[in-house]
Amino acid sequence: MKESLSTFLCILLTIVLVAGAVCIGAVRGWHGEQVATLEAISVGSDLSEPLRNRGMDAANLAVVASRHLAVKDPDVVMLQQSYFKICKTNSSAIERAQADAQISIAAASLAQLLPQLASVQASQRDQAYITALTRSLSQPTSFAEDYTAALEDYNARLNSSLTGKLAMLLGVEPIPVTTGGN
């Protein structure tokens, strides 16, 4: 009787330890996946590098445009604010995606306005800058779509795997995919 009780307790302890290890592994693994996903869309990531370059181009266009427009031109201000959201602050990925969209809007507006100004027509250098920068910045990028796709991929994998469902039961949350405006 003592041997069977001892065997039963050993088997029970083994089951408890294995279950605990699976739970801990699921939580740690999916938390690591979540961190990796968020780092992939963070300010210093490969996904964000083209956006950072775009932000710097927006700042350059703002400098050139400010030489020819009023001090507080809304498009110039939008370009400057977008630059800071993209390059200089700890903005969230969604804020950077919104800033990216604002760059396209402001650049398209400036592409229509600036070439008509006499001061721009008098400066070949500024014409070249304005033409090149507004052409590239007016085109929308895929950052918002890439951001959303990365989050949706993580959430889909989390929701579809057994360990993901276990991790969610133990407190790992899906990453919210928000695309709303300010």
Side-chain angles (χ1 to χ4, degrees):
M1 178 90 152
K2 248 185 180 181
E3 274 186 39
S4 51
L5 179 61
S6 177
T7 303
F8 175 73
L9 289 176
C10 285
I11 292 172
L12 184 62
L13 181 60
T14 301
I15 292 170
V16 168
L17 289 174
V18 168
V22 168
C23 290
I24 290 170
V27 169
R28 285 186 180 174
W30 282 103
H31 179 70
E33 286 281 327
Q34 187 179 60
V35 168
T37 299
L38 292 173
E39 284 178 354
I41 55 176
S42 68
V43 174
S45 71
D46 290 340
L47 181 61
S48 290
E49 189 61 29
L51 186 61
R52 186 173 183 276
N53 292 338
R54 184 171 163 85
M56 288 188 270
D57 284 348
N60 289 336
L61 179 57
V63 168
V64 173
S66 66
R67 288 197 289 252
H68 302 282
L69 296 172
V71 176
K72 295 289 183 184
D73 181 79
D75 291 324
V76 172
V77 170
M78 188 182 299
L79 288 173
Q80 292 166 337
Q81 290 172 345
S82 296
Y83 165 73
F84 284 111
K85 280 185 184 175
I86 290 171
C87 297
K88 295 292 185 184
T89 66
N90 294 329
S91 301
S92 69
I94 191 65
E95 289 172 323
R96 291 192 322 272
Q98 290 168 346
D100 179 40
Q102 290 174 337
I103 287 173
S104 295
I105 293 167
S109 174
L110 290 173
Q112 296 295 317
L113 174 67
L114 290 174
Q116 298 173 3
L117 299 176
S119 59
V120 172
Q121 292 172 359
S123 172
Q124 292 289 349
R125 180 187 67 168
D126 284 355
Q127 284 179 17
Y129 286 146
I130 290 167
T131 300
L133 290 171
T134 57
R135 183 182 315 122
S136 68
L137 293 175
S138 295
Q139 301 300 315
T141 67
S142 65
F143 181 78
E145 291 83 18
D146 294 343
Y147 159 76
T148 302
L151 298 186
E152 287 174 348
D153 177 59
Y154 166 80
N155 290 339
R157 289 183 295 115
L158 179 68
N159 287 312
S160 66
S161 76
L162 184 59
T163 59
K165 290 177 183 178
L166 178 61
M168 287 192 305
L169 286 173
L170 297 171
V172 175
E173 299 280 330
I175 302 171
V177 181
T178 55
T179 57
N182 288 337

